[in-house]
Amino acid sequence: MTGNTHIVGGLAASLAYAQFSNYDPVILVGAGVVGALIPDICHGGSKIGKTFPIVSKIINILFGHRSFTHSLLFLFLIGILLHSFVTNESIIMGILVGIVSHLVLDMATKNGIKLLFPIKVTIRFPLTTKTGGKVENIVYAALSLLSVYFGYGVFASYFVN
């Protein structure tokens, strides 16, 4: 998936999570969008890879694309790091929800991900799409609509209370 689809995916996922959690929705959603971009640090052409090119290059040389940073191990390690250094639970959960949204979206692509890294098995859904293709545009539109739907639910009550 492209960076824009990951952004709207992180937005939709964090807004959906905000529906039933007690975390600050503004912080949760902002962190969710950031978290949705983090796994692509392994790709120099990604939004985050362009922002941190040296880190991106090192990670790509060590692990390649869609392996370690697209795994449950990475999610677990990020969770430990966040809980060790970040005191705001809304930030922690937002980033983790965003990362999960990224992994799910990339499992819907033909290349899939190495979810069980270091085990070298590729995980993808039975129905997949090409990154940047017409089906991804439909996914993007659907996630945008879900963001509006969940956003209304979250922020209508947020500003009323």
Side-chain angles (χ1 to χ4, degrees):
M1 298 286 169
T2 62
N4 288 338
T5 302
H6 283 304
I7 288 170
V8 76
L11 183 64
S14 55
L15 284 167
Y17 187 71
Q19 294 281 315
F20 60 86
S21 73
N22 291 322
Y23 298 114
D24 182 323
V26 174
I27 295 172
L28 183 78
V29 169
V33 170
V34 171
L37 296 174
I38 289 174
D40 274 345
I41 189 69
C42 62
H43 185 335
S46 68
K47 290 181 186 296
I48 193 166
K50 289 177 184 175
T51 305
F52 302 101
I54 295 169
V55 174
S56 178
K57 185 70 170 172
I58 291 168
I59 291 173
N60 187 277
I61 289 169
L62 291 173
F63 303 108
H65 183 49
R66 290 190 178 183
S67 62
F68 171 63
T69 62
H70 287 68
S71 71
L72 294 175
L73 175 61
F74 180 75
L75 181 67
F76 177 74
L77 292 174
I78 291 293
I80 289 172
L81 284 171
L82 289 171
H83 277 93
S84 298
F85 297 105
V86 178
T87 57
N88 188 313
E89 286 290 320
S90 297
I91 293 172
I92 294 169
M93 291 311 298
I95 289 173
L96 295 176
V97 166
I99 291 172
V100 169
S101 77
H102 185 109
L103 301 182
V104 169
L105 286 170
D106 276 358
M107 287 191 315
T109 64
K110 294 185 186 303
N111 292 334
I113 61 173
K114 304 288 190 258
L115 185 65
L116 303 175
F117 180 89
I119 299 170
K120 296 184 184 215
V121 60
T122 299
I123 307 292
R124 63 177 144 305
F125 293 125
L127 296 174
T128 60
T129 186
K130 179 183 170 199
T131 299
K134 291 179 182 179
V135 174
E136 182 176 345
N137 291 335
I138 294 168
V139 170
Y140 179 86
L143 289 170
S144 297
L145 289 173
L146 284 171
S147 295
V148 171
Y149 174 77
F150 290 128
Y152 178 78
V154 168
F155 291 110
S157 64
Y158 184 76
F159 289 114
V160 169
N161 291 332

